[in-house]
Amino acid sequence: MAARQSRRLLRPFLYTSAAAALGGGLLYVSYRPRRIPGSDPAAVPPPTYGEGGTLIPPQFPLIKSREAQIADLKASAGGARQSVDRPVKRGFFDGIFGSGADREEVVLDGPVAAERPYDLLIIGGGATGSGIALDAATRGLKVALVERDDFSSGTSSKSTKLVHGGVRYLEKAVWELDYNQYKLVKEALRERKYFLDTAPHLSMWLPIMLPIQHWWQAPYFWAGTKFYDLLAGSEGIESSYFLTKSKALDAFPMLKKDNLFGALVYYDGAHNDSRMNVSLAMTAALYGSTVVNHLEVTSLEKDASGRLNGARVKDLIQERNGKKAEEFTIRAKGIINATGPFTDSIRKMDDPKVDEIVAPSSGVHVILPGYYSPSNMGLIDPSTSDGRVIFFLPWQGNTIAGTTDAPTNITQNPIAGEEEINWILSEIRGYLAPDINVRRSDVLAAWSGIRPLVRDPKARNTESLVRNHLVTISDSGLLTCAGGKWTTYRQMAEESVDQAISLYNLSPGPVLTAASISGTESINDAATLDGTCQTHRVRLVGAHGYSKTLFINLIQHYGLETDVARHLTESYGDRAWSVAALSDPTHTRFPVRGRRVAPLYPFVDGEVRYAVRHEAAQTAVDVLARRTRLAFLNALAALEALPMVIDIMALELQWSPSRKEREWRDTVAFLASMGLPRSKLSVSRADVESGRAGVEDESERRIQGGRARRGVDVLGSDSHVEGGGEGTRNPVLGRESAANK
């Protein structure tokens, strides 16, 4: 009897304890302390001051000049190569914020040397190609990378700017019981964490809101976001959470109130895609890779047995300078094709009869002013009018919206169509409050990126598309890596290099001598490089000395404006010291340094010089589109900044007047693919410098609704004249005042 009574008392206690333990466990998992990337103190502290208040700057290593790297490429095929000292045009701060002698390697006439082939020649300087170069170089291999245009000139600069596992892929994996989709999400969530760890200055965590219109959607979406959190595990950062209607409207005031039940918020990553790509390429160069942009592969070369052993390339910069483009051969033990949408063109150089594997898909994005979204909250519409997913995200002070997904033809600079732009705007109107007028004239820029979906050539059903990446090898030894997405670039690179080592019988090994990328001897960047893949631990250029308070040091030392200092640290990390030092004095009380390239944006003149000297920028488009992001943020502002950019680059690269004219024409033509109105494509430099480029034509005036006409905005209460309104003279102002004209 006593035992039965004790069991009766013990059972509720055990149930209560179990419930408390479960609840406590869930609370701990949701609110446990976590390490947020970028919040740790910098691995390298900011520069200190010596006697007399003199700054003791970091000594950042320099990357070889373009001429020296081309000489290395030629030497791989036995070209004569000799190191000679020649004067190099450098600014004062290059001596402070750099290291090494002013010595460049150039090709001189002389006896032909023995061939010194590269282990790997990588064709393509996008995210995949640059990631492969960094992976191979940090395994001790001799690597070359060539790119026809610029690093990140294609799809890699035209993404949605997310670093994500993909909630829509997870939904498909569950409902279709698709293990490949599940594996893709799991892999991407792991890579997301590596991404944010190795480049904390270029990436960040972003909360994304999922609006809920009906009560029964809440448990469905809650379960989905919690499963997403669960899959992320230790690679996650914050747990998803539910917001009531009032809280959702407080966090995202632009939302439509009608039919809004609440919202779920989950976390993903966001990044600056082209700057990430450039940083990958420059980090690979500092680890010993030869990386050259604007160098086009014209043919592949094979040995007597039919195996690939090199490529012929052409220097396109010489053509831009009005000279005959020089062609030469690069020798390599293995060749990797990482050209994204242009994959099949390289495969056909190897075998003209090969079946195509790329199914190009167009993804259009538009840029709207920043007032369309909160600065720290994104939005996802998981079910648009035609079943696609659309993101609505804050980015670089503006708002990015997209994307579409439709078959397309492959072109170098695709143009976003009006139909796609209007579809995106229409979907946005469906989610924003009715008093917010979403206008076509608010589109500051619009672009189309080509997503290289791939078909597996070994699959029986050749129509099936692979959403993840694909690595294939041709009979002659061409290794092709295609497909995938930005988030998984590192995993794609690791698998490609693993395959290449086996295929080409390469011998990876520890990196014994690596440049001091951090700019200090206190960190040995080669310590962990033992010949295996370590790119999940290799920090990119700028990451070592970055912290979220670094911008304060820049303001205090250089007198930069706050938004400029924040921008520099979030785009260059610790290299912001170099950029600030290369910026002109303003000769005003404040700011002390930094002439803005565009009045409304934080880009400054020092970024143009830094891009040329330290990031291999060769054209004005390289600077406006990939080093800064002005062309992607505002096409008209990029046009207005073009004269200043060309003048600075002309001094740095010693351009002739004809080269400056070509840069003008080519850049204006490129801006057409960024959404520059057709009426602006014929403007001259004189028009821009005189301010006439911003004048509206008749069609633009119709779009703007005549809002710039004098008197149209005078309120009746302010006119002091009976009737008030348009056309009424305000007697409070002088008769000759411009407001009365």
Side-chain angles (χ1 to χ4, degrees), residues 695-726:
V695 176
E696 301 166 351
D697 62 17
E698 187 60 33
S699 62
E700 289 175 296
R701 276 192 290 272
R702 285 197 299 269
I703 293 175
Q704 300 286 1
R707 63 184 178 185
R709 293 205 307 273
R710 297 291 185 183
V712 73
D713 294 326
V714 176
L715 301 181
S717 58
D718 292 328
S719 70
H720 296 281
V721 175
E722 186 177 354
E726 184 175 354

Side-chain angles (χ1 to χ4, degrees), residues 13 50 90 125 136 195 280 373 382 451 481 513 647-648 658 667 688 693:
F13 174 75
R90 300 199 188 279
F195 204 113
L280 283 169
S373 67
R451 187 181 297 109
C481 182
T513 56
D647 287 345
I648 294 174
S658 61
T667 306
V688 171

Side-chain angles (χ1 to χ4, degrees), residues 188-302:
L189 288 171
R190 182 187 69 246
E191 293 300 318
R192 182 183 67 176
K193 186 64 161 53
Y194 295 154
F195 204 113
L196 273 68
D197 282 340
T198 57
H201 56 302
L202 295 172
S203 50
M204 57 178 284
W205 287 99
L206 178 68
I208 300 177
M209 182 179 290
L210 186 62
I212 298 174
Q213 264 106 36
H214 307 285
W215 68 265
W216 50 265
Q217 291 178 319
Y220 176 77
F221 288 137
W222 182 88
T225 55
K226 286 303 176 184
F227 189 24
Y228 196 62
D229 295 341
L230 180 64
L231 280 182
S234 61
E235 278 86 27
I237 185 67
E238 292 285 354
S239 294
S240 56
Y241 56 91
F242 176 77
L243 290 176
T244 62
K245 178 179 179 178
S246 60
K247 291 290 185 181
L249 291 171
D250 183 56
F252 209 115
M254 305 83 179
L255 273 181
K256 182 188 292 185
K257 298 179 182 178
D258 298 342
N259 300 323
L260 182 67
F261 176 77
L264 274 159
V265 177
Y266 72 96
Y267 284 79
D268 252 329
H271 75 136
N272 190 334
D273 51 7
S274 71
R275 286 219 51 82
M276 179 75 180
N277 198 153
V278 171
S279 295
L280 283 169
M282 296 304 103
T283 307
L286 288 173
Y287 276 108
S289 296
T290 303
V291 293
V292 183
N293 53 356
H294 301 285
L295 203 62
E296 181 180 15
V297 172
T298 58
S299 64
L300 302 179
E301 298 197 345
K302 301 178 181 180

